[in-house]
Amino acid sequence: MMSQKVPFNWPHMTGKELHYIAEAHLNGSLAGDGPFTKRCHAWLEQKSGTAKALLTHSCTAALEMSALLLDIKPGDEIIMPSYTFVSTANAFVLRGGVPVFVDIRNDTLNIDETLIEAAITPRTRAIVAVHYAGVSCEMDTIMEVAKRHHLRVVEDAAQGLMSYYKGRALGSIGDLGTYSFHETKNVISGEGGALLVNDPDLKLRAEIIREKGTDRSRFFRGEIDKYTWQDIGSSFLPGELIAAFLWAQFEEAERITTQRLASWQHYHGQLETLEAKGVLRRPIVPESCQHNAHMYYVLLAPEINRQEILAKLKQQGILSVFHYIPLHSSPAGLKYCKTHGDLEVTVRQSEQLIRLPLWVGLTTMLQDKIVEVLCDAVN
Ligand SMILES: *Cc1c(COP(=O)(O)O)cnc(C)c1O
């Protein structure tokens, strides 16, 4: 028995969060788009090279803004993987859009770019590329298919801050990109997110949609002398306390990534023998991708019962979890979405995947213990 429980996730605080929250409090500016929000926007724009970054109260909100910005209408089809978080699909369904699921790649568990073209119909409007585990989709191919068929591309880069594809930041490659700062991600603000507006033509409307459908952002910049209702929108912006917290995290984003990568590498080395024995497969990161160690997962061999492994880990105090119940098999997915082709890889891999604890501060000693327990469990 281990004396200590090992949580699956442990939100990492950099130490400056309360300091900056106190500063925001002193500034007396608590609504959205104050000094800390502006700093966060500038940081995201500089890091990613996007035309415009906008903080939102979640990645879900940034995805909903994307569906509004792309004018998704009832019956419009959006191609995406079924192996993703609910919000990827739900954001479009809210506008009457119909997610069309295609299968994922066996190596990265990202959308299989070679299957996209066959799923395109006259109703197709967009492709959503979800960068699972902070490992990039094959963006060159996806962008090329989109261009040929005049489709928009949204990157769900919820897990992808500080990851790169051929040197370009994830989230900055499609027309729009979304990040999450939920406490389970690498860089956090409890709840939080951002929209990257990479197509400069969408910049002004993105600001309007985020500010309740008004041109208040232009008014604050002094570009107009009053603001009015311009378009449909909602309130998608976080208050300054959240931005102040997030700023403390942005300042340490490089260090957080480096530390997570060290833990990721440690698991990867320690699990090599189990992979060689054929009882599990480790993650595969293509050459084109520099990842951010958002997640360490293993894919158990088909003959291994995942529930038993998770239960054995739990008995030893190790909290490990599985990941996505594919959306096409969920009650809402059955009701609102379509499937193109069989989703053989999605179904098979989602049933055998387990995520191991990974957080800043996880020691190599604990990791070795986790590997040892996993090793006993699968043998
Ligand atoms: C976490 C996550 C989201 C949702 O992010 P929130 O900030 O919690 O709304 C969406 N998509 C993916 C792929 C995610 O991992």
Side-chain angles (χ1 to χ4, degrees):
M1 263 299 194
M2 289 180 68
S3 50
Q4 192 182 356
K5 273 220 190 310
V6 187
F8 171 67
N9 181 50
W10 187 259
H12 173 68
M13 310 292 166
T14 68
K16 286 265 196 86
E17 287 85 356
L18 293 179
H19 174 76
Y20 289 137
I21 285 175
E23 194 179 319
H25 178 241
L26 279 174
N27 285 343
S29 156
L30 297 177
D33 285 340
F36 280 104
T37 306
K38 290 203 175 85
R39 265 192 233 178
C40 289
H41 286 171
W43 187 89
L44 283 169
E45 282 162 12
Q46 189 260 324
K47 274 275 163 206
S48 69
T50 185
K52 184 153 207 73
L54 294 167
L55 290 192
T56 56
H57 48 72
S58 62
C59 180
T60 301
L63 288 162
E64 287 172 15
M65 281 184 70
S66 302
L68 283 164
L69 268 168
L70 300 185
D71 275 322
I72 297 301
K73 297 277 186 296
D76 287 350
E77 294 177 357
I78 306 94
I79 298 172
M80 64 178 71
S82 167
Y83 188 67
T84 182
F85 187 66
V86 175
S87 300
T88 317
N90 184 72
F92 294 91
V93 171
L94 278 174
R95 310 251 61 83
V98 181
V100 175
F101 298 129
V102 299
D103 211 357
I104 51 174
R105 289 164 52 138
N106 204 36
D107 56 356
T108 56
L109 312 185
N110 283 329
I111 190 165
D112 185 338
E113 69 280 359
T114 66
L115 301 177
I116 294 173
E117 197 145 24
I120 296 173
T121 74
R123 305 223 66 166
T124 308
R125 297 291 316 285
I127 302 166
V128 186
V130 182
H131 303 297
Y132 187 64
V135 173
S136 176
C137 298
E138 187 39 53
M139 290 309 291
D140 281 350
T141 308
I142 293 172
M143 295 307 289
E144 187 271 320
V145 171
K147 196 167 174 202
R148 212 146 23 81
H149 293 272
H150 309 288
L151 306 177
R152 294 289 202 163
V153 174
V154 179
E155 293 176 78
D156 181 341
Q159 306 172 12
L161 184 76
M162 309 297 285
S163 286
Y164 299 85
Y165 170 76
K166 299 186 179 175
R168 299 170 73 188
L170 298 195
S172 74
I173 303 163
D175 297 287
L176 296 163
T178 64
Y179 287 140
S180 173
F181 308 121
H182 185 263
E183 84 166 25
T184 53
K185 303 301 200 279
N186 291 16
V187 168
I188 59 174
S189 59
E191 302 281 351
L195 177 69
L196 300 190
V197 187
N198 305 320
D199 175 353
D201 292 343
L202 298 174
K203 269 164 59 171
L204 269 186
R205 193 157 169 247
E207 287 184 336
I208 289 170
I209 286 172
R210 178 168 165 272
E211 267 284 17
K212 301 96 181 166
T214 73
D215 49 1
R216 185 148 105 179
S217 299
R218 294 192 65 199
F219 172 72
F220 280 145
R221 281 200 297 272
E223 293 169 13
I224 44 175
D225 60 9
K226 58 181 184 314
Y227 71 87
T228 54
W229 188 20
Q230 299 283 327
D231 201 333
I232 56 167
S234 189
S235 180
F236 287 114
L237 65 171
E240 272 286 280
L241 298 184
I242 292 283
F245 189 106
L246 187 60
W247 179 248
Q249 295 265 321
F250 278 178
E251 282 190 325
E252 298 292 322
E254 296 281 353
R255 177 183 57 78
I256 291 170
T257 310
T258 307
Q259 284 183 244
R260 293 184 73 103
L261 278 165
S263 298
W264 196 99
Q265 283 300 344
H266 190 71
Y267 272 136
H268 211 57
Q270 298 301 94
L271 289 164
E272 197 176 346
T273 357
L274 281 184
E275 184 177 76
K277 278 191 186 163
V279 289
L280 57 79
R281 201 205 83 189
R282 299 175 301 161
I284 297 171
V285 181
E287 279 288 324
S288 55
C289 180
Q290 187 189 326
H291 74 107
N292 62 359
H294 173 59
M295 189 189 301
Y296 199 90
Y297 66 81
V298 297
L299 293 159
L300 301 170
E303 63 276 11
I304 295 177
N305 181 325
R306 177 172 65 180
Q307 261 340 97
E308 275 174 27
I309 302 295
L310 291 177
K312 281 181 188 167
L313 287 165
K314 200 172 170 194
Q315 266 167 28
Q316 301 295 317
I318 299 161
L319 295 177
S320 178
V321 299
F322 60 84
H323 222 187
Y324 306 134
I325 309 270
L327 298 181
H328 74 279
S329 60
S330 67
L334 287 166
K335 196 163 164 190
Y336 298 116
C337 307
K338 284 188 197 162
T339 292
H340 189 268
D342 70 29
L343 304 184
E344 190 266 328
V345 184
T346 301
V347 171
R348 177 163 47 82
Q349 299 293 44
S350 66
E351 282 170 1
Q352 293 309 104
L353 184 139
I354 65 172
R355 301 176 63 183
L356 301 180
L358 179 60
W359 30 270
V360 173
L362 181 67
T363 60
T364 51
M365 219 168 71
L366 272 180
Q367 286 189 285
D368 292 346
K369 196 77 200 164
I370 294 165
V371 170
E372 196 186 307
V373 173
L374 179 64
C375 200
D376 285 346
V378 294
N379 280 324

